[in-house]
Amino acid sequence: VERQHEGPTAPELAIRTQRLAKSYGPIRALDGLDLEVRVGEVFGFLGPNGSGKTTTIRILLDLIRPTDGSAEVLGLDPRRDGLALRRRVGYLGGEFVVEGRQTAAELLRYLGNLRGGIAPERVEELTERFGLDPSRRISSLSRGNRQKVGVVQAFMHDPELLILDEPTSGLDPVLQHEFAKLVGETAAAGRTVFMSSHVMSEVQRVADRVGILHRGRLSTVEGIVALQQRASRRVEIVFDPGTAIAPADFEAIPEVSEVVVDGDRMRCRLDGHADQLVKTAAHFGVATFTAEEPDLEELFFESYGSESSGSDGAAAHEERR
């Protein structure tokens, strides 16, 4: 699906920040953040509380102003062009909080009118997909059902850019899975998704690239596939009965460590490319070769390291507000 952008040319970057900084008194929540999110990709924005994720998102939405540096969203300045951007961006935070006297249908109709009008068929499709009863008043809805309203309002106008901050908080696992499918469909249509989430499996399933934020700076930006290829994984090789193998046969491989041989079974840790390990194992009679696929949660902690425990308490409080 080809999308039409305002202006003569479509920006190559959906989001760009340069030396972006934000201080809360003595606390530096963002410290010279340089971030680029490409048009049409799903970008996972990871980091613990206090790392600066929500502060970044609030600046992109012009809910707060930076102390220093600059931000561009769809080629526009969030501060100067906020009205134009709001029609082109969908936003959902971890808890959708709105005035509760109106029904879900009334709220969605109101928000749709603010965005220039939304096809009723699109709203109906999304409410049915997420099992939302639009006739119920917001005040009577559980947290999970309120979050469903948030999902519908974020996606219903098919925005060019979706900014999602812990979007599946409150949704049950079935709806988390449905939400991930919706994100995938959005990306397949050529739109951009910028998503902060603590649900690592969710990010791993849908993201093209991930950025890991540490104390207001990006410590890692890499594609999911590239991260997995260089990540540690546990490998077990079972050789044909009677095959004579020794730890030394594999310990010389630079990517291999923690070699344990038990009869015709060898276990090891593989860091990076498997080519040399596979070629070495092929000299023996291999019965089975099993490698655990690295999990994004493990990759996160490997990239973040022990420093993740050092996030400042005051910054963490500001992130949770």
Side-chain angles (χ1 to χ4, degrees), residues 123-133 144-145 147-149 151-152 155 168 171-172 174-183 185:
V123 177
E124 184 178 351
E125 172 200 340
L126 289 170
T127 55
E128 289 182 358
R129 183 168 182 174
F130 284 89
L132 173 66
D133 181 356
N145 279 312
Q147 197 65 7
K148 293 177 187 179
V149 179
V151 171
V152 174
F155 284 83
T168 59
L171 297 182
D172 64 41
V174 172
L175 290 178
Q176 287 181 11
H177 179 73
E178 191 64 33
F179 180 86
K181 286 174 58 180
L182 182 58
V183 169
E185 292 164 10

Side-chain angles (χ1 to χ4, degrees), residues 183-198:
V183 169
E185 292 164 10
T186 300
R191 296 188 287 274
T192 309
V193 180
F194 181 72
M195 182 169 68
S196 161
S197 178
H198 283 124

Side-chain angles (χ1 to χ4, degrees), residues 19-24 27-28 30 59 65-69:
R19 303 180 302 280
L20 195 64
K22 178 64 179 178
S23 297
Y24 299 103
I27 305 303
R28 193 80 159 169
L30 291 179
I59 290 173
R65 301 283 166 78
T67 305
D68 199 6

